[in-house]
């Protein structure tokens, strides 16, 4: 497995692969890899000849300096995992390599920036748009793989690809969960043993609301059920819990079983921000 730290090296590698007529699958990550990432790599490997994974903790997408500082950085262990998943090349640049100067580019992703992740993480999607756009230009893949745990991010990236005519396909991949339902995330490792044991409540809250809706409850009632659940769990602090239309991401007032609905949440436990969603 190749390990590249400069744009020139990975670009050269990608060009050679393409000249030889082989397809490239790309998995962009911020490292601290877990089985969820490895599933993306495996899927990319099943659908392409060559897989490139990037590991870059992107400063422009953090609205909170402390969160950026605390983001786990585990390059050696990540490379071990990627090697065993048959990844062909890793691109792990420094911040200076990626940003010679801080970009002034500003995207407008419409309502994606004003609801849920967009609302609570100001500038986050702009930073995602900038780095993903740069990575697509550098790596030039045929397909790029993203986890559905970051549902709004998938929508933002699709928009970016469409609006800027990146000639590649976005492949959204299912959220990978621990046996108790907790969505796999690099942030989970910041939880204490006790926190980790309780974290499944985030997923459970989505299922509670989903069940309530399926049984005919109103959206207001489904959300009230979730609030009631967390009344006895004061260690959790819900940032948002929204029931939205999957296409528009607009909050709904009435559940329509004929349209796809997404239940999305961000919830703090021990200062760790856990996000999750279900679409049905
Ligand atoms: O989902 C992530 O890990 C990041 O947002 C991404 C897509 C790698 C961009 O930094």
């Amino acid at each position: 497995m190749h390990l590249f730290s400069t744009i020139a090296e990975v670009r050269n590698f990608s060009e050679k692969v393409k000249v030889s007529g082989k397809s490239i699958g790309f998995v962009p990550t911020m490292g601290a890899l877990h089985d969820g990432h490895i599933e993306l790599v495996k899927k990319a490997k099943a659908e392409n000849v060559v897989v490139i994974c990037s590991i870059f903790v992107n400063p422009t997408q953090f609205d909170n300096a402390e969160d950026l500082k605390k983001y786990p950085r585990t390059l050696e262990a990540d490379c071990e995992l990627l090697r065993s998943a048959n990844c062909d090349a890793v691109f792990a640049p420094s911040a200076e390599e990626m940003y010679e100067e801080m970009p002034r580019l500003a995207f407008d992703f419409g309502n994606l920036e004003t609801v849920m992740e967009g609302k609570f993480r100001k500038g986050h999607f702009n930073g995602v748009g900038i780095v993903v756009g740069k990575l697509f230009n550098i790596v030039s893949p045929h397909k790029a793989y993203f986890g559905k745990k970051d549902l709004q991010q998938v929508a933002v990236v699709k928009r970016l690809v469409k609006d800027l005519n990146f000639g590649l396909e976005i492949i959204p991949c299912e959220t990978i969960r621990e046996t108790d339902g907790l969505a796999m995330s690099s942030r989970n490792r910041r939880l204490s043993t006790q926190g980790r044991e309780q974290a499944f409540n985030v997923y459970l809250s989505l299922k509670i609301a989903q069940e309530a809706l399926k049984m005919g409850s109103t959206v207001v009632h489904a959300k009230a059920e979730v609030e009631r659940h967390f009344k006895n769990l004061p260690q959790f602090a819900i940032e948002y819990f929204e029931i939205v239309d999957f296409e528009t991401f607009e909050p709904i007032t009435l559940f329509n079983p004929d349209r796809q609905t997404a239940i999305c949440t961000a919830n703090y436990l021990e200062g760790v921000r856990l996000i999750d969603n279900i679409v049905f």
Side-chain angles (χ1 to χ4, degrees):
M1 187 178 75
H2 302 273
L3 176 57
F4 302 124
S5 59
T6 69
I7 293 171
E9 285 168 323
V10 72
R11 194 169 252 160
N12 184 36
F13 174 76
S14 158
E15 274 164 13
K16 280 197 183 130
V17 170
K18 288 177 106 174
V19 165
S20 69
K22 294 177 184 152
S23 58
I24 299 178
F26 177 46
V27 182
T29 80
M30 297 206 298
L33 303 183
H34 49 71
D35 285 353
H37 294 113
I38 297 308
E39 283 306 311
L40 299 182
V41 171
K42 286 184 182 161
K43 192 163 167 61
K45 193 69 195 173
E47 296 181 357
N48 304 273
V49 183
V50 169
V51 173
I52 303 177
C53 175
S54 65
I55 296 180
F56 178 58
V57 183
N58 172 37
T60 65
Q61 71 187 73
F62 284 81
D63 56 342
N64 177 328
E66 197 55 20
D67 197 22
L68 171 62
K69 208 168 99 195
K70 284 190 180 156
Y71 205 88
R73 289 157 172 89
T74 56
L75 184 60
E76 254 183 54
D78 291 346
C79 286
E80 270 315 303
L81 281 176
L82 290 171
R83 205 169 281 121
S84 42
N86 291 325
C87 180
D88 297 280
V90 177
F91 175 46
S94 64
E96 295 71 31
E97 178 71 11
M98 283 299 277
Y99 297 111
E100 224 181 289
E101 254 181 64
M102 271 305 149
R104 307 182 67 132
L105 199 61
F107 292 109
D108 178 354
F109 293 107
N111 73 324
L112 286 168
E113 302 214 34
T114 57
V115 294
M116 303 186 291
E117 291 302 292
K119 177 173 170 191
F120 286 96
R121 300 188 70 188
K122 288 281 168 234
H124 170 65
F125 287 136
N126 198 54
V128 169
I130 289 172
V131 80
V132 170
K134 281 165 82 76
L135 288 167
F136 286 170
N137 275 329
I138 294 165
V139 175
S140 187
H142 297 90
K143 292 183 181 178
Y145 296 77
F146 290 84
K148 288 189 198 168
K149 183 174 78 68
D150 296 295
L151 200 65
Q152 268 179 282
Q153 172 170 277
V154 172
V156 160
V157 172
K158 279 188 171 168
R159 185 85 243 175
L160 186 79
V161 167
K162 192 168 179 215
D163 286 356
L164 296 182
N165 297 89
F166 283 103
L168 62 95
E169 197 183 337
I170 298 302
I171 314 287
C173 304
E174 289 310 318
T175 301
I176 305 296
R177 299 183 179 281
E178 305 285 356
T179 43
D180 64 358
L182 175 68
M184 289 193 185
S185 164
S186 305
R187 288 192 165 88
N188 295 352
R189 64 181 77 185
R190 281 169 52 199
L191 293 168
S192 70
T193 312
Q194 202 192 8
R196 171 61 197 85
E197 280 168 11
Q198 296 165 346
F200 72 94
N201 280 288
V202 176
Y203 179 57
L204 183 57
S205 67
L206 302 172
K207 298 300 280 181
I208 289 172
Q210 182 189 29
E211 270 318 296
L213 291 175
K214 280 187 173 169
M215 300 297 285
S217 288
T218 61
V219 166
V220 170
H221 186 259
K223 284 177 154 187
E225 292 268 301
V226 170
E227 266 174 38
R228 199 173 12 256
H229 177 75
F230 282 112
K231 272 231 161 70
N232 303 322
L233 298 165
Q235 62 275 40
F236 287 89
I238 301 176
E239 187 170 63
Y240 66 78
F241 189 96
E242 295 290 355
I243 302 177
V244 301
D245 184 280
F246 174 63
E247 290 300 320
T248 63
F249 284 97
E250 289 297 342
I252 58 166
T253 45
L254 279 178
F255 173 58
N256 177 353
D258 296 333
R259 283 188 70 86
Q260 273 202 304
T261 298
I263 309 180
C264 307
T265 191
N267 201 327
Y268 280 92
L269 174 61
E270 298 180 332
V272 181
R273 191 171 185 274
L274 303 170
I275 67 167
D276 202 354
N277 67 78
I278 45 178
V279 178
F280 61 105

